[in-house]
Amino acid sequence: GVQLGDVLEAVDGRKVGSAVDYYVSLLERSAGDVVALKLVRDGASATARMTLTPVPKPDGKLLASRHLGMTITELNDSAARRFQWDKHGVFVLAVEPNSPAAREDILPGDLWVSMGPHWITDIDKVGRLLSGIPSGAPVVIGVRRATRRGLLDGEVRLYAR
């Protein structure tokens, strides 16, 4: 197998000179494919075979809690009717005290509909959008709130923790 310190020279006979070359060599591959690697280990030539595995999906619930202090769930049909919303989104179930969400007055019962220019379609989308966000990064979210006077739409800038 591949060891710490190995230098990758080729994937399935294709020379690899950079991380981009490595990435491009795997673009047409799928999980389960086996690729042959040519390596340099301690100055000597070596080979290895690697079975590709799927990239795990980022956990949207975990990342929303970790970065923003919100517990979220998928939007169900009943909540969609309440919010007069025919699109997707995620429902805020709870907000951690003193979290980024709490500091910007996000409330349990709010509907999280967007993040920057992206519509929130489901929790998986939240995971993809929040993965890789560093601590302190601004996160602009669109929120819809049901009140006694009607529906309020707004955007809030949170700072990831």
Side-chain angles (χ1 to χ4, degrees):
V2 178
Q3 297 178 8
L4 186 63
D6 286 350
V7 177
L8 182 63
E9 286 191 327
V11 175
D12 282 339
R14 293 172 110 180
K15 187 172 173 72
V16 174
S18 69
V20 172
D21 293 340
Y22 173 72
Y23 177 77
V24 169
S25 73
L26 298 179
L27 280 177
E28 295 179 6
R29 301 304 193 133
S30 300
D33 287 354
V34 177
V35 294
L37 305 176
K38 182 177 178 190
L39 311 164
V40 174
R41 177 177 300 147
D42 298 324
S45 199
T47 61
R49 297 179 65 72
M50 176 175 69
T51 302
L52 302 178
T53 59
V55 175
K57 288 192 290 188
D59 185 332
K61 286 184 178 185
L62 176 68
L63 292 171
S65 178
R66 181 181 296 155
H67 288 306
L68 305 176
M70 292 190 286
T71 303
I72 58 174
T73 191
E74 298 287 353
L75 178 65
N76 61 35
D77 291 339
S78 171
R81 282 191 299 278
R82 178 175 164 229
F83 284 101
Q84 300 171 13
W85 193 250
D86 60 355
K87 299 174 181 68
H88 298 284
V90 295
F91 193 67
V92 179
L93 291 175
V95 177
E96 182 184 314
N98 300 312
S99 67
R103 286 191 290 277
E104 296 302 326
D105 297 321
I106 301 297
L107 299 174
D110 285 348
L111 180 63
W112 180 3
V113 298
S114 64
M115 183 169 153
H118 307 281
W119 290 107
I120 298 297
T121 53
D122 54 29
I123 289 175
D124 288 341
K125 180 88 175 249
V126 171
R128 288 190 305 276
L129 292 171
L130 286 177
S131 66
I133 296 263
S135 178
V139 178
V140 177
I141 68 170
V143 176
R144 177 168 271 208
R145 180 174 292 165
T147 70
R148 290 185 192 142
R149 293 186 176 153
L151 297 172
L152 299 174
D153 292 317
E155 281 191 341
V156 179
R157 180 180 306 266
L158 310 175
Y159 291 89
R161 58 178 177 190

